[in-house]
Amino acid sequence: MAENIKLLIAEDEAALGQIIKESLETRDFEVILCENGEKAYEKYNSENPDILVLDVMMPKKDGFTLAKEIRAIDNTIPIIFLTAKSQTADVVEGFSIGGNDYLKKPFSMEELIVRIHNLINRTAVQKTSKVFEVGHYSFDFPKQQLQFRDEESVQLTHREAHLLFHLIQNKNKVLDRSLILNKLWGTDDFFSTRSMDVFITKLRKKLKKDENIQIINVRGYGYKLTV
């Protein structure tokens, strides 16, 4: 059921945008369709959507720029990027900006709907979670913030926060690479694997002030957080 889920879609290809809108509306989603990034930003502020589906390449304001502006004021709303690009650098950039997921064109409506529901459910779990103690760090999952002792908190991206959450949930155990890739990235293909490696490196840097914390690469299996 998609009851009460309001989506904002920014897609400059009019025919594709209309197909997505009509397909989702037949499944009881409330859909706001915008033809460019500027219009999407206006509607984001006035309509209070639950999730954003943004085309990367758009006139006036591209999807990455739009996501940056939204993330500056809202670090929790789920964002899915639609892209014809599949280069690792582009995928990593999207996640680094604060995107939660991406779909490569062409895609099936069923796949989009599954990813929408997964993100909505994941966000609900995040909002009801707590603050975790990891060595000398405090990790506020709902706020996506990491704090070392009494220092100022560091803001994590959505992807960093969810990856750290799963590492903590499996502390001192091996976190299966394929399992977490499918859960957070929606696929365990080459590009997603490379993207995950980049985010593991970022987390290591942000946790380096506590020398007892390590994220170990267990070759052939996955990663293990040890404290």
Side-chain angles (χ1 to χ4, degrees), residues 5-17:
I5 296 179
K6 183 190 288 188
L7 289 97
L8 188 153
I9 300 174
E11 172 57 66
D12 66 314
E13 295 181 42
L16 176 59

Side-chain angles (χ1 to χ4, degrees), residues 17-158:
Q18 197 60 37
I19 289 171
I20 296 173
K21 182 177 187 294
E22 292 176 0
S23 296
L24 291 174
E25 286 177 339
T26 62
R27 293 166 171 84
D28 298 323
F29 288 90
E30 181 180 347
V31 183
I32 305 156
L33 177 61
C34 302
E35 68 275 10
N36 61 62
E38 286 186 357
K39 189 69 175 178
Y41 189 71
E42 293 175 7
K43 289 294 185 180
Y44 161 77
N45 283 303
S46 64
E47 296 290 340
N48 192 31
D50 299 306
I51 186 168
L52 308 177
V53 180
L54 310 179
D55 186 25
V56 172
M57 302 298 291
M58 290 188 292
K60 297 187 178 181
K61 186 177 292 182
D62 64 80
F64 285 167
T65 300
L66 175 59
K68 285 179 183 177
E69 293 180 358
I70 290 173
R71 278 289 176 251
I73 56 176
D74 184 344
N75 65 1
T76 60
I77 187 168
I79 298 175
I80 299 175
F81 287 119
L82 303 180
T83 177
K85 299 180 177 181
S86 59
Q87 295 299 314
T88 302
D90 296 316
V91 174
V92 171
E93 181 182 0
F95 286 135
S96 298
I97 288 166
N100 306 99
D101 207 345
Y102 76 98
L103 273 176
K104 289 181 284 187
K105 298 178 181 178
F107 55 86
S108 70
M109 287 306 304
E110 288 72 20
E111 184 176 10
L112 175 59
I113 290 168
V114 166
R115 290 176 185 245
I116 288 169
H117 281 299
N118 284 344
L119 283 177
I120 292 292
N121 292 337
R122 201 185 302 165
T123 302
V125 169
Q126 180 179 346
K127 289 179 179 178
T128 57
S129 290
K130 59 179 182 178
V131 176
F132 298 91
E133 300 300 323
V134 189
H136 294 300
Y137 284 90
S138 295
F139 171 47
D140 189 325
F141 187 35
K143 293 182 179 179
Q144 298 180 182
Q145 292 179 343
L146 188 65
Q147 182 180 29
F148 180 71
R149 296 185 185 274
D150 295 324
E151 294 183 5
E152 186 175 349
S153 296
V154 174
Q155 189 67 47
L156 303 180
T157 67
H158 177 95

Side-chain angles (χ1 to χ4, degrees), residues 134-137 207-208 210-215 225-227:
V134 189
H136 294 300
Y137 284 90
L207 293 166
K208 68 180 181 181
D210 188 336
E211 296 180 354
N212 292 318
I213 297 176
Q214 289 186 310
I215 301 178
L225 175 70
T226 62
V227 182

